[in-house]
Amino acid sequence: MPPSIDSTLAETRSFAVSADFARQANMNAETFARLNRQATEDPHRFWGDLAREYLDWDLPFQQVLEADHAPFYRWFSDGQLNVAHNCVDRHLQGATRHKAALIWEGEDGSVKTLTYAQLHREMCLFANALKHQGVQKGDRVAIYMPMVPEAVIAMLACARIGAIHTVVFSGFSAEALKDRLEDTDAKILITADGAWRVGKLVPLKRHADQALLREREHSVQRVIVLRRTGAEIDMQEGRDVWWEDVISGMSADCPALPMQAEDPLFILYTSGSTGRPKGVFHSSAGYLLWAMLTTRWVFDVKPADVYWCTADIGWITGHSYVVYGPLANGATIFLYEGAPMYPQPDRFWEMIARHGISIFYTAPTAVRAFMKMGDEWPQRHDLSSLRLLGSVGEPMNPEAWMWYHEQIGGGRCPIADTWWQTETGGHMIAPLPGVAVNKPGSCALPLPGISARIVNDHGDPITAPDAGGYLIIDRPWPGMLRGVWGNPERYVESYWAKFGNRYYIAGDSARCDADGYFWVMGRIDDVLNVSGHRLGTAEVESALVAHPAVAEAAVVGIPHEIKGEAICAFVIVKHQYQGVDRDELGAALRAQVTELIGAIARPDDIRFTDALPKTRSGKIMRRLLRSLARGEDITQDTSTLEDEGTLQHLTTVKK
Ligand code: WTA
């Protein structure tokens, strides 16, 4: 179960920093204290020094931060650099040139390694191919690909020539892809003939074709298709071209284009409490700096590490901690194409042993799923190469934490429980392995330069230990989002307006204990967290309502043993569909959600009803539905309920 406030309040265990680890760590207690001091005393100097030390600039910046148009902050804005140069070219000198940048394993067991020199060549070939296809600086390029090296190459190639990528998770449907193509006005779509997942073929190109057929403006001029599965697909003459053909004859010489620090690097869609997903966009320099520093500080990445973050590149974790952060540090990244338990539940552990993975970063939902399979699976393998573990996506329940610590980490690996978001660009609150003790369920302390606080409903700071409130960030940081694509008002409204633009509002509730350790409780808005994936209730509801039989729908989260949260939907069926078989309709509605969003948004529980509880102003009373879905007694105040009869009806609703 995901943690409740009671279970983590009762959590008192703590695990000391190992002296051996601290001795070799990139960040020890002394450096931590010094950086925190500098960040408070002179933030401009603090960030400016870090940006000069850790990034390669084509044109040095003079200005660290511009805050005149807050909350539209600008960082290092008169400087120029190229992100791909910083992630690849600068490692071409010396020994790192022939070091593995990327080790990839397919679901079928095939393995491919690219050294930094090889990655550089592939990136340049593809960057030239993109230019040859008419891509220019500032154009949007959509990437809808499986977890293969070419996905990383495509992202870096975009960065090299200044194109803005928007990666769409390959588990999203044609409809979701279409929305993102339209919202970004993408010129090019890069996809594959298919992907392997649990031994089955996922027809990515077919989804892409459907998306393009529905796309209103037809902004996409070219579809570049990687051959991965050899599946039969339709190639549309004049529009679709094979990856191998576009790179053939291209030069491997492609100078990295110097970009303004504030030029957008990518757009990534994420769910909010209202409406459609938002296109969060990030800058070039500030984002890269933060991805790089946090990888170095939190994961303690060293030249000898083989680092594996299991996230798909379609999520922010895949951007910051599969691609940009580790490559900027010259690390060796491991990439796995397929399903975690395929062909059997020890696939991950077997790969960790075989590739000598030393840093492993995954999500609590995965840990819980493995825990359920039993200890014998990890115990079959030698996991002694591991030296640090990480977690992201949701609060980690202490039980899963202990299992991860003992069964995977052998009791010796620190666990970095990293709190952050698509919007923050990189980790914000996390236990630095050479500095902070581990308390199971807590993400520990804000990183140097990050000023996190808990405030009450009025925006006033809460200082009493263990009192819950809104988690906010009260100083800008370089990795922060720069806006919502094409919608500056939504940026202000979603993240700043509630407390008069004073703070960045994360949308999470949290508390701080007497040691200043943060304990994140979960979202306070109408955002669900299903298997660590953010989904807006509004999105799922509109997918349900798009079905002809549905008059109205309301969606809430219910606790789920593996997923953390599962979706429960209350659905009102239109009069003329009242006679339809409920099981069949339920199946049709699940299919509908899969079709419009993707399988991750499929409701676990669908309950049919004649009415929904609403306030007199017509707002659905979700907290009531939440209690009902959980089978709890209604203890809340129902005086604002428009029709008390609704409640009575709902309590007897049939599944
Ligand atoms: C939740 C993922 C507690 C949180 C990087 C946040 C967490 C949302 C943690 C962001 C954690 C992520 N502890 N909660 N360690 N990590 N969350 O944008 O609710 O997909 O607001 O970014 O996930 O999800 P997103």
Side-chain angles (χ1 to χ4, degrees):
M1 284 290 150
S4 64
I5 187 134
D6 303 332
S7 73
T8 54
L9 267 174
E11 181 57 51
T12 52
R13 282 171 290 203
S14 75
F15 296 82
V17 178
S18 118
D20 285 345
F21 199 105
R23 212 169 295 121
Q24 59 80 58
N26 287 340
M27 172 99 70
N28 57 26
E30 209 178 299
T31 327
F32 182 62
R34 178 173 51 80
L35 287 175
N36 277 329
R37 206 166 48 242
Q38 288 173 351
T40 319
E41 285 167 8
D42 190 348
H44 286 223
R45 182 152 169 213
F46 167 80
W47 290 116
D49 286 351
L50 289 169
R52 274 183 283 267
E53 182 178 352
Y54 287 102
L55 299 179
D56 256 14
W57 293 87
D58 294 304
L59 181 69
F61 58 89
Q62 305 300 324
Q63 177 104 357
V64 172
L65 171 67
E66 279 169 65
D68 310 348
H69 302 288
F72 295 90
Y73 294 97
R74 292 164 62 81
W75 287 90
F76 320 117
S77 60
D78 54 352
Q80 290 183 352
L81 55 58
N82 182 282
V83 169
H85 164 88
N86 274 277
C87 288
V88 185
D89 302 38
R90 65 166 160 166
H91 310 307
L92 296 181
Q93 268 97 47
T96 40
R97 182 178 179 84
H98 300 298
K99 166 183 177 164
L102 186 158
I103 302 170
W104 171 81
E105 181 158 325
E107 200 183 67
D108 59 5
S110 47
V111 173
K112 191 163 149 183
T113 301
L114 288 176
T115 63
Y116 271 95
Q118 289 165 330
L119 178 61
H120 181 257
R121 184 185 150 78
E122 301 282 331
M123 163 181 71
C124 288
L125 288 175
F126 195 65
N128 274 329
L130 287 177
K131 282 203 277 190
H132 195 71
Q133 298 296 326
V135 178
Q136 292 172 353
K137 180 180 166 179
D139 284 346
R140 271 78 63 207
V141 171
I143 300 176
Y144 185 58
M145 292 185 86
M147 286 290 282
V148 289
E150 286 80 359
V152 178
I153 292 165
M155 290 165 78
L156 292 169
C158 287
R160 192 164 194 86
I161 62 171
I164 302 169
H165 61 66
T166 183
V167 182
V168 180
F169 171 52
S170 60
F172 276 135
S173 67
E175 188 69 16
L177 173 61
K178 182 215 75 169
D179 287 345
R180 287 151 177 80
L181 294 175
E182 282 180 349
D183 200 54
T184 55
D185 244 334
K187 194 171 189 177
I188 301 255
L189 169 63
I190 307 168
T191 186
D193 61 356
W196 291 118
R197 189 86 191 164
V198 205
K200 291 201 203 69
L201 195 135
V202 183
L204 281 188
K205 175 63 165 61
R206 199 162 76 213
H207 295 168
D209 288 341
Q210 288 164 358
L212 293 167
L213 212 60
R214 295 178 204 166
E215 191 211 354
R216 261 176 290 130
E217 302 293 332
H218 299 289
S219 62
V220 176
Q221 296 162 10
R222 187 70 76 230
V223 181
I224 301 177
V225 187
L226 177 78
R227 212 187 290 274
R228 165 67 192 125
T229 60
E232 279 280 317
I233 54 161
D234 292 331
M235 291 291 278
Q236 186 176 311
E237 188 73 44
R239 187 196 69 186
D240 302 352
V241 283
W242 291 104
W243 177 292
E244 63 212 52
D245 293 339
V246 293
I247 58 168
S248 123
M250 287 295 139
S251 155
D253 179 21
C254 176
L257 188 67
M259 304 292 290
Q260 287 307 135
E262 280 293 315
D263 281 337
L265 178 66
F266 64 84
I267 307 169
L268 192 59
Y269 285 78
T270 190
S271 298
S273 40
T274 52
R276 293 174 160 213
K278 298 176 274 219
V280 162
F281 68 94
H282 279 282
S283 69
S284 295
Y287 167 80
L288 183 67
L289 176 66
W290 195 229
M292 180 180 179
L293 287 176
T294 48
T295 305
R296 206 180 165 80
W297 292 346
V298 177
F299 295 142
D300 195 52
V301 163
K302 300 272 168 48
D305 281 310
V306 183
Y307 162 95
W308 182 18
C309 162
T310 67
D312 190 281
I313 48 144
W315 309 108
I316 190 68
T317 309
H319 284 56
S320 304
Y321 301 110
V322 174
V323 183
Y324 293 114
L327 291 179
N329 281 291
T332 296
I333 59 173
F334 178 69
L335 206 66
Y336 169 57
E337 175 185 44
M341 304 223 194
Y342 186 84
Q344 48 176 35
D346 60 348
R347 178 66 187 259
F348 271 23
W349 321 129
E350 189 265 328
M351 289 193 296
I352 287 176
R354 189 154 39 78
H355 293 284
I357 308 286
S358 54
I359 301 172
F360 177 68
Y361 187 34
T362 196
T365 182
V367 173
R368 289 191 297 262
F370 286 122
M371 186 166 90
K372 203 171 172 202
M373 300 313 297
D375 301 352
E376 68 270 25
W377 296 103
Q379 279 169 5
R380 284 184 195 181
H381 301 279
D382 174 9
L383 301 180
S384 60
S385 58
L386 289 172
R387 66 182 194 94
L388 185 139
L389 303 174
S391 165
V392 61
E394 59 177 307
M396 201 170 213
N397 47 315
E399 193 196 356
W401 196 99
M402 288 307 300
W403 187 85
Y404 198 28
H405 177 69
E406 283 162 8
Q407 296 298 323
I408 308 305
R412 78 187 171 275
C413 301
I415 298 181
D417 179 345
T418 60
W419 178 84
W420 63 295
Q421 311 176 292
T422 305
E423 293 85 347
T424 68
H427 303 153
M428 301 293 278
I429 310 181
L432 290 162
V435 178
V437 303
N438 276 167
K439 299 188 189 186
S442 166
C443 52
L445 302 166
L447 297 177
I450 301 303
S451 179
R453 282 183 210 295
I454 314 280
V455 301
N456 65 17
D457 264 333
H458 308 289
D460 304 323
I462 298 179
T463 45
D466 295 325
Y470 296 82
L471 177 53
I472 59 102
I473 313 293
D474 67 3
R475 268 191 248 141
W477 69 103
M480 67 196 299
L481 77 163
R482 294 305 193 266
V484 173
W485 190 251
N487 201 340
E489 301 82 32
R490 201 168 172 202
Y491 165 67
V492 178
E493 201 184 292
S494 308
Y495 303 108
W496 302 88
K498 188 179 170 72
F499 298 129
N501 295 353
R502 278 180 298 162
Y503 314 131
Y504 167 81
I505 305 155
D508 282 350
S509 66
R511 66 183 172 87
C512 236
D513 68 18
D515 299 327
Y517 275 52
F518 282 73
W519 300 73
V520 174
M521 308 318 303
R523 302 288 307 190
I524 24 177
D525 49 12
D526 290 325
V527 171
L528 306 173
N529 189 333
V530 180
S531 302
H533 301 317
R534 265 165 80 169
L535 288 167
T537 48
E539 275 171 79
V540 184
E541 286 160 7
S542 71
L544 290 166
V545 173
H547 191 279
V550 177
E552 207 177 350
V555 156
V556 294
I558 41 174
H560 185 278
E561 196 188 350
I562 307 277
K563 298 181 187 181
E565 201 164 31
I567 297 177
C568 173
F570 291 86
V571 171
I572 304 180
V573 178
K574 281 186 193 153
H575 193 66
Q576 61 272 38
Y577 286 86
Q578 287 294 347
V580 175
D581 179 273
R582 293 295 150 104
D583 287 340
E584 272 173 36
L585 187 55
L589 293 180
R590 286 191 179 91
Q592 165 97 6
V593 174
T594 309
E595 163 82 20
L596 292 186
I597 306 175
I600 51 168
R602 210 164 26 202
D604 273 40
D605 193 354
I606 297 183
R607 304 188 187 186
F608 295 100
T609 170
D610 293 334
L612 292 170
K614 289 192 185 156
T615 61
R616 289 190 184 91
S617 59
K619 271 187 82 164
I620 293 175
M621 296 179 77
R622 257 174 242 285
R623 56 192 174 92
L624 272 184
L625 291 177
R626 220 169 281 140
S627 303
L628 282 169
R630 291 166 193 217
E632 296 163 1
D633 293 335
I634 307 290
T635 52
Q636 293 109 329
D637 175 19
T638 54
S639 58
T640 51
L641 201 61
E642 186 199 26
D643 175 5
E644 292 267 357
T646 315
L647 190 62
Q648 213 159 30
H649 171 83
L650 271 168
T651 48
T652 56
V653 72
K654 282 201 222 67
K655 277 210 182 174

